[in-house]
Amino acid sequence: MTNSEKMLLHALAGCWLHTVRCTAAVLCAACCLTACHDDNGDEAGVETARKSKHSVTFINSENGAGDNGYNDIILNAEMTFAFLSPEVKSNFPVMSNFDGAEQCYRFATRLFDDGDSILVVLNSSDYKELARSDDSLSAYNESWDIRAADLRVLLFEDNDRDLPQLVHFFYIQRYGACYVAGRLMGKMPALVVAAMKGDRPIDDAVQGFIDGYSVENPDGPIVEYIANDASGYANPERAAQICDSVVKSFPEDMMRLANLEPDAGLCILPLAGGSNVGMYGYAHSLRVASWDVNIIGMDKNYNNNSESIPFSIEIPLYDILMDYLVSWENNETWPKYKTYGLDSEYPMKIALPDDSYPHMLSLLCPEGHGDSPKDDKEFLAKLDGFIKEAAEKERAYMEMRK
């Protein structure tokens, strides 16, 4: 029994770790990390896992998967990596609260053998304090006199202040993409529904949209927050209620599809993670009732989900995470931190609909040519101009935020 296995036997009472072993038939199956196993099991598979020198532990956010957006993109990337790299031990901690996550983090950064390459991925900025709480993070375990060949921690959406030496992070800058979304609104009234104040990604996105929207609408959009804390990311009912209260504050004839004036209707920008699903459902139900309420798809391409979605803002999270995982597997070095903006190799993108020309977008090019904005050279030129303008504004904004 190896040193890490002996240590794990003492630790399992506090945290249950599972190792994902992917096959072509099933995406994953959980098994215990200890070397103790069923004698009737696949001996060759267990032996292969034991010999692996690379081990990654994915610690998901407290909200977890199922938001049909950000968290699901993360899980998709991680499961794909586990499937494509069966020689790497891919561990998914199962915990019910933050204390469990903290305990699993301690175990994952200490349970290794000589020569192992260890990676812990903290899948949420919720864990920024956890990443900072362990100043003793080291590839050398003095108690057991063992040294990992490599030990790294990857943290999402943080900044570089006070991070331990072995902790790396990346940040996806949303200001520019949301600036473009604001410019695409034209004269249509807009509502931003955000999870909470004080979360940097949300604050940047809100400010970007306000700045872009205010070019045509100096009074700015309506901005509402679901909660004062992270619960705003998991309250779709409250998100839908906010949308409903704002919609009902407008004259009814202003919200009808029959009214095709540039200042008619409403467009919603959802910035609330798992709460976004409540807003998508609400806007779709109004479309059935012939109300002119649009909602922007956020994080991934939602264009085919409903006619109420004029375009989507795609986040490059899958590509970024896969890049980090593959480079770690190949023993390549990482930068301490990196920001991905509009002018980076992985920019956020505006995804246009394939087979329709939403009224909201057609207002930008009344003489548009083509069945969709993708076929309209005049519109694409205008969009390209917005993106270049937004990239310049984003650089200035990031410099100001330093």
Side-chain angles (χ1 to χ4, degrees):
M1 185 174 287
T2 65
N3 288 328
S4 63
E5 289 161 354
K6 293 175 184 177
M7 296 164 67
L8 184 57
L9 290 176
H10 293 284
L12 279 176
C15 176
W16 207 334
L17 294 176
H18 290 269
T19 297
V20 173
R21 311 305 301 164
C22 295
T23 67
V26 284
L27 192 59
C28 71
C31 67
C32 183
L33 271 179
T34 76
C36 304
H37 56 80
D38 186 344
D39 290 337
N40 295 325
D42 184 352
E43 294 287 347
V46 172
E47 201 59 33
T48 299
R50 281 179 177 167
K51 292 178 180 178
S52 174
K53 285 296 183 181
H54 283 72
S55 178
V56 56
T57 299
F58 301 107
I59 300 181
N60 288 321
S61 70
E62 292 186 72
N63 290 332
D67 65 348
N68 204 28
Y70 190 92
N71 289 335
D72 284 359
I73 294 172
I74 292 172
L75 183 60
N76 186 18
E78 293 170 349
M79 300 298 278
T80 300
F81 175 78
F83 177 77
L84 296 176
S85 302
E87 68 282 2
V88 176
K89 292 181 183 178
S90 297
N91 312 310
F92 290 78
V94 178
M95 65 275 181
S96 59
N97 52 43
F98 183 83
D99 289 340
E102 182 177 16
Q103 201 166 30
C104 289
Y105 178 74
R106 306 298 180 204
F107 296 159
T109 53
R110 287 164 174 77
L111 299 181
F112 51 79
D113 289 312
D114 282 319
D116 282 359
S117 179
I118 305 298
L119 171 62
V120 180
V121 183
L122 298 173
N123 287 345
S124 171
S125 59
D126 296 343
Y127 298 126
K128 58 186 178 182
E129 297 307 321
L130 174 59
R132 288 171 169 77
S133 66
D134 194 354
D135 292 333
S136 63
L137 191 66
S138 173
Y140 176 66
N141 188 317
E142 184 176 0
S143 300
W144 293 86
D145 190 27
I146 52 179
R147 182 179 297 277
D150 184 20
L151 174 62
R152 309 183 202 183
V153 175
L154 179 61
L155 179 62
F156 285 44
E157 310 282 14
D158 202 346
N159 59 57
D160 59 333
R161 298 190 184 95
D162 307 318
L163 283 173
Q165 182 179 0
L166 300 179
V167 178
H168 306 254
F169 88 98
F170 67 84
Y171 183 76
I172 300 175
Q173 179 55 258
R174 294 157 174 80
Y175 178 95
C178 289
Y179 182 98
V180 175
R183 293 290 276 122
L184 291 173
M185 291 297 97
K187 292 292 186 180
M188 177 178 282
L191 166 67
V192 179
V193 181
M196 59 178 286
K197 284 184 178 180
D199 188 354
R200 184 184 170 193
I202 294 293
D203 292 345
D204 289 349
V206 171
Q207 191 60 55
F209 187 82
I210 290 174
D211 290 350
Y213 183 80
S214 297
V215 174
E216 295 287 341
N217 299 268
D219 292 336
I222 302 168
V223 180
E224 297 286 346
Y225 293 91
I226 298 173
N228 296 321
D229 54 30
S231 65
Y233 288 102
N235 195 341
E237 295 83 5
R238 176 58 184 155
Q241 289 171 0
I242 291 173
C243 293
D244 188 55
S245 64
V246 171
V247 167
K248 289 180 178 177
S249 70
F250 285 87
E252 184 171 328
D253 61 350
M254 188 174 175
M255 292 294 170
R256 290 295 178 187
L257 284 172
N259 189 341
L260 300 182
E261 295 300 320
D263 58 351
L266 178 73
C267 188
I268 301 168
L269 175 66
L271 298 172
S275 297
N276 289 351
V277 296
M279 292 183 266
Y280 294 136
Y282 175 77
H284 179 66
S285 67
L286 289 184
R287 177 68 59 168
V288 174
S290 297
W291 285 62
D292 193 11
V293 176
N294 295 281
I295 183 167
I296 298 169
M298 195 67 200
D299 291 343
K300 70 176 190 178
N301 191 334
Y302 287 91
N303 294 344
N304 294 328
N305 290 35
S306 170
E307 291 182 359
S308 61
I309 298 175
F311 63 89
S312 296
I313 302 176
E314 292 185 299
I315 193 168
L317 183 55
Y318 179 94
D319 292 331
I320 292 171
L321 182 52
M322 285 294 289
D323 195 356
Y324 271 95
L325 294 173
V326 171
S327 65
W328 164 75
E329 184 184 9
N330 292 332
N331 302 311
E332 299 171 3
T333 59
W334 288 352
K336 178 67 175 178
Y337 65 93
K338 189 165 186 178
T339 299
Y340 294 90
L342 277 185
D343 55 0
S344 71
E345 66 268 42
Y346 294 122
M348 296 184 73
K349 297 179 180 178
I350 302 296
L352 301 173
D354 293 316
D355 53 7
S356 64
Y357 209 137
H359 169 63
M360 188 189 77
L361 297 183
S362 68
L363 293 175
L364 294 171
C365 298
E367 304 301 325
H369 307 285
D371 295 328
S372 79
K374 284 185 174 181
D375 303 320
D376 188 340
K377 292 182 179 180
E378 182 183 353
F379 176 84
L380 292 177
K382 186 163 291 190
L383 175 60
D384 185 60
F386 289 162
I387 292 173
K388 290 178 180 177
E389 177 184 330
E392 182 178 343
K393 297 287 186 180
E394 184 176 78
R395 286 192 292 270
Y397 176 79
M398 291 169 63
E399 187 64 30
M400 179 196 69
R401 292 275 288 177
K402 285 184 178 179

